[in-house]
């Protein structure tokens, strides 16, 4: 049982309540950061809970208490079938747990391995991992889905896995982990400016392959981006596109093309200092495209206006 957006919450207020209509294309909810304390009690023995929070949940009488500070959502999953692998990753020694089903030991271990590498790399490039733990949960979804300190990955990715990092399990798994910085740490309006979390999480896959599996970096760009011939404005909303493919091509894929051009224009030193500056200023809050480009310009002497004009509809 997967519980996501399962409780009532107050949407942000900024010149009005920020509550957008759902669509089939992307996420529409916007959250302020909150401190969560969730107590869970099961009425049946043998149920394993996968949840966000501190490195370890605390016993609280008959209940188990989960604390998660400065997060946008609290999701959890419960199963009497879950098996678990765990490891510690990053400077903050976050506890990484891979929850998988019997028969998926190889894949459950592989995604844990990818997670420890990704968390270590992204901490060095983006800033400290924001939570005490990360739960990676195998689930009967069609895709991956990110929450704070918890990500779901489709069983089909586990079924397809052939032992290579050139796989959806690794690429999409790393994508959802990158959302811990782009969505989890730095929030945004997912409906009106979805590129701020999706282009960033998607481009983080490229960063992962560039540094962890450099022999597969070209594979990633061909398999994930070039094959689809992406086009469209990166600052497309979830309401603008005629199809999911057109939305992904504009926001995710052309977003990665823009980020690669921005990285190249700024150079690695300025580019990664910019990303760390951005997470430190807007962490536990929400950023806009204007914020993103203001911080970028403060970290480079290069003129980036032609890149913005080429990829964005808005004038930032
Ligand atoms: Zn995503």
């Amino acid at each position: 049982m997967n519980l996501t957006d399962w409780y009532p919450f107050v949407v942000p207020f900024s010149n009005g309540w920020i509550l957008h209509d759902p669509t089939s294309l992307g996420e529409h909810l916007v959250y302020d950061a909150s401190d969560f304390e969730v107590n869970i009690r099961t009425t049946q023995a043998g149920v394993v809970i996968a949840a966000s929070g501190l490195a370890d949940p605390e016993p609280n009488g008959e209940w188990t208490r989960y604390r998660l500070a400065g997060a946008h959502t609290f999701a959890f999953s419960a199963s009497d079938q879950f098996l678990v692998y765990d490891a510690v990753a990053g400077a903050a020694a976050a506890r990484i747990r891979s929850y998988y089903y019997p028969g998926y030991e190889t894949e459950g271990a592989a995604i844990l391995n990818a997670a420890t590498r990704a968390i270590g790399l992204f901490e060095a490039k983006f800033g400290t991992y924001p939570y005490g733990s990360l739960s990676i949960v195998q689930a009967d979804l069609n895709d991956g889905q990110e929450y704070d300190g918890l990500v779901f990955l489709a069983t089909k990715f586990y079924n397809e896995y052939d032992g290579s990092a050139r796989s959806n399990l690794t690429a999409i798994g790393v994508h959802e982990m990158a959302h811990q910085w782009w969505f989890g740490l730095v929030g945004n309006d997912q409906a009106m400016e979805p590129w701020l979390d999706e282009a960033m999480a998607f481009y983080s896959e490229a960063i992962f392959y560039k540094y962890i599996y450099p022999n597969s970096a070209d594979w990633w760009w061909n398999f994930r981006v070039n094959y689809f011939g992406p086009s469209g404005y990166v600052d497309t909303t979830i309401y603008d596109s005629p199809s999911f493919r057109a939305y992904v091509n504009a926001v995710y894929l052309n977003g990665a093309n823009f980020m690669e051009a921005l990285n190249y224009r700024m150079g690695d030193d300025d580019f990664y200092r910019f990303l760390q500056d951005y997470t430190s200023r807007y962490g536990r809050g929400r950023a806009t495209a204007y914020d993103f480009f203001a911080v970028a310009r403060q970290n480079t002497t290069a003129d980036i206006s032609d890149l913005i004009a080429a990829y964005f509809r808005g004038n930032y």
Side-chain angles (χ1 to χ4, degrees), residues 80-103:
D80 60 1
Q81 310 272 310
F82 275 148
L83 299 172
V84 188
Y85 286 128
D86 70 349
V88 169
R95 191 73 54 86
I96 315 298
R97 296 186 179 88
S98 169
Y99 294 86
Y100 61 95
Y101 290 102

Side-chain angles (χ1 to χ4, degrees), residues 27 144-146 175-176 179 182 197-199 201-202 205 252:
E27 287 111 30
Q145 184 68 47
E146 75 279 12
H175 176 108
E176 308 307 341
H179 271 304
W182 322 121
D197 64 294
E198 292 301 353
F202 191 70
E205 297 178 39
Y252 293 57

Side-chain angles (χ1 to χ4, degrees), residues 53-285:
L54 300 174
D56 291 300
E58 309 156 290
N60 181 21
E62 294 185 331
W63 301 73
T64 301
R65 179 163 51 212
Y66 297 82
R67 296 179 195 270
L68 181 66
H72 296 97
T73 61
F74 187 98
F76 72 99
S77 180
S79 173
D80 60 1
Q81 310 272 310
F82 275 148
L83 299 172
V84 188
Y85 286 128
D86 70 349
V88 169
R95 191 73 54 86
I96 315 298
R97 296 186 179 88
S98 169
Y99 294 86
Y100 61 95
Y101 290 102
Y104 292 95
E105 285 75 12
T106 301
E107 295 77 15
I111 195 62
L112 182 72
N113 177 47
T116 57
R117 289 165 181 251
I119 299 294
L121 175 67
F122 293 160
E123 280 202 336
K125 298 297 185 188
F126 308 153
T128 305
Y129 179 74
Y131 312 113
S133 68
L134 173 66
S135 297
I136 304 157
V137 182
Q138 183 181 354
D140 293 328
L141 310 175
N142 291 321
D143 207 338
Q145 184 68 47
E146 75 279 12
Y147 296 92
D148 299 71
L150 185 148
V151 302
F152 293 108
L153 289 173
T155 288
K156 72 177 180 185
F157 301 148
Y158 291 68
N159 287 333
E160 292 167 4
Y161 184 68
D162 66 357
S164 169
R166 299 185 181 190
S167 60
N168 279 322
L169 183 68
T170 305
I172 295 174
V174 166
H175 176 108
E176 308 307 341
M177 294 162 202
H179 271 304
Q180 303 307 310
W181 284 266
W182 322 121
F183 165 79
L185 181 56
V186 181
N188 61 296
D189 188 324
Q190 298 192 102
M192 303 309 290
E193 295 186 314
W195 75 274
L196 283 171
D197 64 294
E198 292 301 353
M200 295 296 287
F202 191 70
Y203 185 64
S204 298
E205 297 178 39
I207 294 171
F208 176 83
Y209 283 94
K210 178 180 178 180
Y211 286 97
I212 304 295
Y213 295 106
N215 292 338
S216 296
D218 287 345
W219 166 84
W220 185 88
W221 281 99
N222 288 322
F223 176 69
R224 293 284 276 164
V225 182
N226 300 334
Y227 171 80
F228 299 99
S231 64
Y233 288 117
V234 176
D235 52 345
T236 294
T237 77
I238 63 169
Y239 308 106
D240 294 336
S241 297
S243 67
F244 184 70
R245 188 72 254 165
Y247 167 70
V248 168
N249 279 0
V251 172
Y252 293 57
L253 277 54
N254 234 12
N257 282 334
F258 167 74
M259 291 303 299
E260 179 75 348
L262 184 67
N263 183 350
Y264 187 78
R265 179 73 58 86
M266 294 177 73
D268 282 344
D269 289 351
D270 288 354
F271 180 75
Y272 288 112
R273 190 183 59 243
F274 150 53
L275 294 183
Q276 293 184 24
D277 194 7
Y278 177 65
T279 59
S280 78
R281 283 203 225 176
Y282 292 99
R284 317 292 184 184

